Amino acid sequence: MAAGALWACHGIATMDLTLTSAPAKHRPYYVAVFGATSGLGFGAASIVAGLFAAGLPAGFEVLGASWTAIHLLFLASTVARGLAALTALPVEEHGARPVRAVVRALA
């Protein structure tokens, strides 16, 4: 349930950043490119993950714990998303408020 809420927030934030970052005159094109590249990236990642999973053994043990291919995919996804999140650190959105201010406003 928390993951669903976080993904919803992620979707709103990425669209908001796209809309506020694009010049008004070319906004429809920016949104279109954002949507197209997001779809292509998701498709490519799905294909690569499927090929990767197909090449892994059905199950194996590490430090006494039983693992499957899906465990490795989730681990790789977590690492890749963490690294990708680092690229967003220098992004500054005009008029943005720190998380602390938002939490204080909601409390």
Side-chain angles (χ1 to χ4, degrees):
M1 188 158 139
L6 291 173
W7 275 115
C9 293
H10 174 269
I12 291 169
T14 55
M15 183 54 71
D16 183 59
L17 184 61
T18 302
L19 291 172
T20 59
S21 300
K25 183 178 178 182
H26 300 293
R27 193 166 290 143
Y29 302 106
Y30 278 64
V31 172
V33 168
F34 170 74
T37 55
S38 294
L40 289 171
F42 183 78
S46 297
I47 291 168
V48 169
L51 293 172
F52 181 69
L56 293 172
F60 52 95
E61 288 198 22
V62 176
L63 300 174
S66 180
W67 292 73
T68 64
I70 196 75
H71 289 115
L72 287 180
L73 286 177
F74 276 111
L75 179 63
S77 175
T78 300
V79 171
R81 288 170 194 261
L83 292 173
L86 294 176
T87 66
L89 290 176
V91 174
E92 291 186 28
E93 187 177 0
H94 177 71
R97 302 285 185 263
V99 173
R100 279 190 204 120
V102 175
V103 170
R104 268 189 252 126
L106 294 174

